[in-house]
Amino acid sequence: MNSEQANTVSNSNLDNALTVAKFGGTSVADYDAMLRCASIIKNDTSNRLVVVSASAGVTNYLVRLGQKDVPATEQAEIIENIRAIQVNITQHLSSTVEAELNQEIDSLLTELSGYAEAQATEHTTKTADAILAFGEQFSSRIFAQVLQSVGVEGEYFNVQQIMKTNSLFGKAVVELIELDRLCGQVLAPKLVNKVIVTQGFIGQDANGNTTTLGRGGSDYSAALLAEALKATNLAIWTDVVGIFTTDPRITDQARAIKEISFGEAAEMATFGAKILHPATLIPAMRCNIPVFVGSSKEPEKGGTQIKKKVDSNPTYRSIALRREQTLVTVKSPAMLHASGFLAKVFSILAKHELSVDLITTSEISVALTFDNPVGSTQSIITNTVVAELEQLCEVTVEHGLSLVAVIGNGLNRAHGVGQKVFDTLEGINVRLICHGASANNLCFLVDEADANPTVEKLHRSLFA
Ligand code: ADP
Ligand code: ASP
Ligand code: MG
């Protein structure tokens, strides 16, 4: 059977609506939070596949555990803290289930300790990923049992059986054709009479090693699974009642957006709106699967619908902010009237797998921006990269910058956009501006210290 046939067979069994529901870390943080998620699943029988993140805080502990030179006492403390988060949940389940789950948790924690010990002596990105993946392994096992406790036939499923990736630890790339085939063969038949609970964020390479898709990657896992299953909906349940005009943590003036197009939401995610992992909308757009974003704490408040066509296309839709940007300026008089200079610069960047975000050029210099992955301890632009670039030109590297993006429609054509935005920012040092290349965004860099005031001022001016 080829993958297409496999999917057709499985989908004809499923017959009607199929929603993939993803719950983020705060949604599965403790027993009460998990219970609220279980009600969401129970109240809508189209929810057949549940994708969970690690309980809030667990992945951050695991990140620390996966670092070099973590003292044994700190390792033990972290493992105890992780255990406490998980057993605080299991203690609310029946004593038999609690005992079974705690046994599984303890044997996983023993395995985790082994990895942590190995990592402290010889650090590898492979072991770091093996460590990072434990959070989702705990939460998915526990949530399947919480579902059972409310009368839903929940069953744990190890996503590594189907989420095959390359071996780029920390930001692994998923093998889409394999996912499609294996989803049809292994996962879809299980959805017919059970609600399957699986892990976001993690995968497995061809050698059987655990991989991860990058921080916040559970949204993306859920979207890929929705695509492979030809789901009718994807629901992202989080801690806010939808997508807002900007991060509600920056200004209390931010307001929820009822509906937004795929394109606008994808721009927001790409430009740093943490509510969605940057790649989440790619699979959804490919298959035209509508995405809902809402709060698992207040599901009755509704949320944001992300879809292909929406009724309104306002000039200004939202403001996104991405911190920890690096600005590299390369300068060479040889650039003047020369051809091939930029090609050489880009070939060095490509060799180091560095992806350029924004670019502006002048006669003798080029400014490029790079995104540092969330939580990374060292700059994405290493000394080796700088040394190689210096063979060609003068190089300046600046850190501590934030990228502000105004997202909307027809921004490159609407009259007075630049004036409205930059008049508002009088007194703020704006470093690099990209306007005109895209109809959907206008973005610029500011110093980190100016980031929040910039967003607040802009929000007041554009959304008052
Ligand atoms: P989860 O753990 O559920 O994946 P995240 O913390 O990754 O949740 O994403 C939710 C957070 O995203 C919100 O608490 C909010 O602070 C932040 N956020 C950033 N930009 C936006 C936005 N435009 N609208 C809503 N939330 C946003
Ligand atoms: N648990 C992972 C993280 O904290 C993945 C996710 O939550 O989406 O990054
Ligand atoms: Mg998230």
Side-chain angles (χ1 to χ4, degrees):
M1 205 186 315
N2 66 29
S3 64
E4 210 149 278
Q5 285 165 326
N7 258 341
T8 318
V9 171
S10 53
N11 271 340
S12 67
N13 292 343
L14 295 169
D15 202 15
N16 35 35
L18 186 150
T19 300
V20 173
K22 178 261 171 176
F23 295 105
T26 44
S27 300
V28 292
D30 53 35
Y31 177 69
D32 290 341
M34 281 204 184
L35 213 48
R36 284 192 292 267
C37 299
S39 301
I40 289 172
I41 299 302
K42 194 173 178 178
N43 291 341
D44 176 354
T45 53
S46 81
N47 287 310
R48 310 309 302 265
L49 177 67
V50 177
V51 176
V52 289
S53 292
S55 301
V58 171
T59 308
N60 286 346
Y61 278 132
L62 294 170
V63 168
R64 174 68 188 133
L65 209 53
Q67 284 167 356
K68 232 192 303 206
D69 304 328
V70 180
T73 47
E74 190 183 342
Q75 285 179 16
E77 246 169 61
I78 292 175
I79 288 181
E80 198 36 58
N81 291 341
I82 294 175
R83 185 175 194 278
I85 293 175
Q86 311 298 192
V87 301
N88 272 339
I89 308 178
T90 59
Q91 65 170 331
H92 296 275
L93 296 164
S94 77
S95 51
T96 331
V97 173
E98 180 192 5
E100 271 171 25
L101 276 173
N102 286 359
Q103 205 177 3
E104 284 184 67
I105 290 168
D106 285 333
S107 91
L108 285 169
L109 286 172
T110 307
E111 207 184 316
L112 176 61
S113 278
Y115 282 122
E117 255 172 57
Q119 190 72 331
T121 35
E122 197 198 339
H123 181 273
T124 65
T125 53
K126 182 169 101 181
T127 307
D129 263 10
I131 290 175
L132 276 181
F134 276 84
E136 275 70 11
Q137 287 292 356
F138 296 126
S139 59
S140 53
R141 281 175 169 79
I142 299 172
F143 188 67
Q145 291 298 337
V146 173
L147 279 181
Q148 297 244 359
S149 75
V150 300
V152 174
E153 281 271 334
E155 188 175 287
Y156 163 88
F157 176 81
N158 186 353
V159 85
Q160 292 181 301
Q161 292 176 65
I162 59 172
M163 195 65 78
K164 303 297 176 187
T165 71
N166 67 4
S167 304
L168 207 55
F169 298 107
K171 48 176 179 179
V173 179
V174 175
E175 310 284 357
L176 296 183
I177 296 176
E178 272 300 89
L179 177 63
D180 189 53
R181 185 179 71 81
L182 293 167
C183 245
Q185 269 179 12
V186 187
L187 178 59
K190 290 183 182 287
L191 301 180
V192 178
N193 43 30
K194 295 256 161 93
V195 174
I196 296 298
V197 182
T198 199
Q199 311 78 41
F201 182 53
I202 70 177
Q204 188 181 60
D205 75 3
N207 300 317
N209 299 309
T210 293
T211 54
T212 63
L213 311 186
R215 290 302 305 265
S218 297
D219 300 329
Y220 182 46
S221 303
L224 287 173
L225 290 164
E227 175 182 41
L229 289 166
K230 301 185 174 62
T232 47
N233 287 285
L234 168 64
I236 305 281
W237 293 101
T238 180
D239 60 356
V240 282
V241 294
I243 299 184
F244 282 60
T245 45
T246 195
D247 188 343
R249 284 186 207 177
I250 299 180
T251 165
D252 58 10
Q253 299 297 303
R255 47 177 196 261
I257 299 167
K258 275 287 144 215
E259 45 167 47
I260 183 168
S261 68
F262 280 136
E264 291 168 302
E267 292 276 338
M268 287 182 73
T270 307
F271 282 96
K274 190 179 172 239
I275 183 96
L276 292 174
H277 178 276
T280 313
L281 292 166
I282 299 170
M285 284 162 96
R286 271 196 300 249
C287 290
N288 195 14
I289 301 171
V291 181
F292 167 84
V293 181
S295 164
S296 64
K297 248 188 183 163
E298 304 172 293
E300 69 290 349
K301 290 203 171 158
T304 303
Q305 295 290 347
I306 311 174
K307 47 192 190 177
K308 195 169 173 182
K309 282 223 155 60
V310 290
D311 290 337
S312 74
N313 293 292
T315 306
Y316 304 108
R317 179 67 91 181
S318 65
I319 304 164
L321 176 66
R322 203 161 65 187
R323 300 182 199 272
E324 290 176 44
Q325 304 302 292
T326 296
L327 176 65
V328 176
T329 310
V330 292
K331 186 172 167 193
S332 166
M335 245 182 93
L336 197 64
H337 308 307
S339 64
F341 171 77
L342 268 185
K344 286 183 197 146
V345 169
F346 275 91
S347 76
I348 293 174
L349 299 174
K351 192 175 95 189
H352 293 277
E353 294 184 4
L354 290 167
S355 119
V356 177
D357 251 353
L358 304 180
I359 171 162
T360 59
T361 64
S362 78
E363 188 72 13
I364 59 159
S365 69
V366 182
L368 311 153
T369 71
F370 298 85
D371 184 28
N372 285 294
V374 183
S376 57
T377 45
Q378 67 170 69
S379 168
I380 192 164
I381 304 297
T382 58
N383 292 341
T384 320
V385 175
V386 174
E388 286 183 32
L389 288 172
E390 276 174 345
Q391 303 286 314
L392 295 176
C393 52
E394 253 177 60
V395 183
T396 320
V397 181
E398 292 171 72
H399 299 291
L401 297 162
S402 287
L403 177 67
V404 179
V406 175
I407 317 279
N409 295 280
L411 286 167
N412 53 347
R413 291 175 191 274
H415 185 70
V417 168
Q419 191 180 4
K420 179 151 188 166
V421 168
F422 295 111
D423 278 359
T424 311
L425 299 182
E426 217 193 307
I428 290 178
N429 186 18
V430 175
R431 293 301 309 278
L432 174 146
I433 302 167
C434 279
H435 182 207
S438 161
N440 296 115
N441 78 63
L442 177 166
C443 46
F444 54 89
L445 288 179
V446 294
D447 287 334
E448 182 56 46
D450 290 331
N452 283 14
T454 300
V455 173
E456 279 171 83
K457 279 185 175 189
L458 261 181
H459 194 275
R460 221 173 299 131
S461 154
L462 304 182
F463 298 100

